[in-house]
Amino acid sequence: MTFNNLGLIEPILRAVEEKGYSTPSPIQLATIPVVLEGKDLMASAQTGTGKTAAFVLPMLQQLNGRQRVQGGRARVLIITPTRELAAQIQANIQTYGKHLNVSSAVVFGGVNVNPQIKQLRRGVDILVATPGRLLDLFQQKAIRFDSIEALVLDEADRMLDMGFIPDIRRIQSLLPKNKQSLLFSATFSDEIRKLARTMLHQPAEIDVAPRNTTVERIRQRIHPVDKSRKTQLLSHLIRENQWVQVLVFSRTKHGANRLVKELGKANIRAVAIHGNKSQAQRTRALADFKHGKVDVMVATDIAARGIDIVQLPHVINFDLPNVPEDYVHRIGRTGRAGNEGEAISLVSADETKQLRDIERLIKRNLERQEVEGFEPGHQLPASRPVGLEKKSRNNRKPEAHGKWGTKSGYRNRGNQADPKPRSKKTGVAPAWNASENQRAVS
Ligand code: AMP
């Protein structure tokens, strides 16, 4: 299957080709025709699956050749939880829309509002925004919503995590009723489904569901180590293996700062990215990391969400996340777009519970490997064989990325925001497989 079969116009196909993409990802295959038909949809896909192009390409097409929008207005509104994601979506719009005459702007908090107000004065076809700043701009009358024809809500589950749902509901109440709405989320909890029911009209439901493939494709192992020796072990691993472009996860902002300092003392160039950093600092950190000026980026879970760095070879969990699903999100930053990756966790004895929760979630025990010279004084208890454990109610399959161009399953339940039946055991609606070249129609 190529992009040519999706009903996209030539200037968009050309831009996609120039970007070097030949095969649409499963989410793109399933989503693009549905959006072009003007339908609402809810799609389950996380960062790394190619979901941005899945909504940007058809939206650009819908806007192509239209008359200029009036000042202070937008036609398509894309709402996303983080500044980084907003900036990346805008970059995608520019890349894929470079042969079209479609205008766009991005607005997010943490930076001066005045240039954004000025930009909106002329009106834009596509406005990409984070929720808080969008509401600010609305209150300041810098933007009116009466020309909105389509709404894209990106990463709805993260919006929920970050407390944005009341803002989303408020924005939604201000938008015209008659519009196309798309909702993307990595997971569909009851709360997200509730939101979907109020937002979407007879949505096509798309679930690109190669749920276990991240876990399968990424080489994962843990190094048991005493807590007090983790930094030393990390420096040792980086030096010994001559790693560059290492993404290290830290549970706390403070821990991230401390680690950067300590790595610096060991002459390892590192930078931290977390919620206490200003937008300018984050942008610089990301650029330095992407351009190889620093070798290590230490990130907290929230800050890392949505960062688009393709083909990261190594992801290190300096500590394990408290929420096991975050482990799957973290390791999903490697092995993206079909590449192999390596995820290593430094685990101390006090993290036994977190480790057990993760192994239960991914339904496998992680390979353990002690590093010579760093054998722990406080031993990690042996893992329980996960297959033999009693099924817990939270024993859900991890959401994960698939290798593009291979078979993937997606679900399209059309006309139902809350499909039944749900599996009683897992609380997750059963998915069925469909070949990638089957089109999603409702
Ligand atoms: P996303 O899930 O939208 O964050 O995309 C993940 C990464 O995959 C981004 O770097 C995209 O530029 C890239 N990408 C998107 N679509 C394709 C495609 N069809 N083939 C290869 N790479 C892609």
Side-chain angles (χ1 to χ4, degrees), residues 9 11-12 59-69 75 99-103 125:
I9 54 177
I12 295 182
M59 283 296 157
L60 281 169
Q61 179 148 330
Q62 313 258 51
L63 291 166
N64 184 42
R66 304 275 303 275
Q67 272 189 342
R68 218 197 147 72
V69 67
R75 286 205 172 100
H99 302 303
L100 301 173
N101 192 13
V102 172
S103 59
D125 291 315

Side-chain angles (χ1 to χ4, degrees), residues 18-74:
E18 284 164 6
K19 178 82 182 157
Y21 302 155
S22 51
T23 315
S25 72
I27 187 75
Q28 292 164 357
L29 272 178
T31 303
I32 290 170
V34 178
V35 181
L36 286 177
E37 281 177 40
K39 294 194 166 135
D40 281 8
L41 76 78
M42 55 194 284
S44 145
Q46 56 182 245
T47 305
T49 55
K51 72 174 163 59
T52 315
F55 58 80
V56 166
L57 299 182
M59 283 296 157
L60 281 169
Q61 179 148 330
Q62 313 258 51
L63 291 166
N64 184 42
R66 304 275 303 275
Q67 272 189 342
R68 218 197 147 72
V69 67
Q70 282 179 296
R73 289 171 170 84

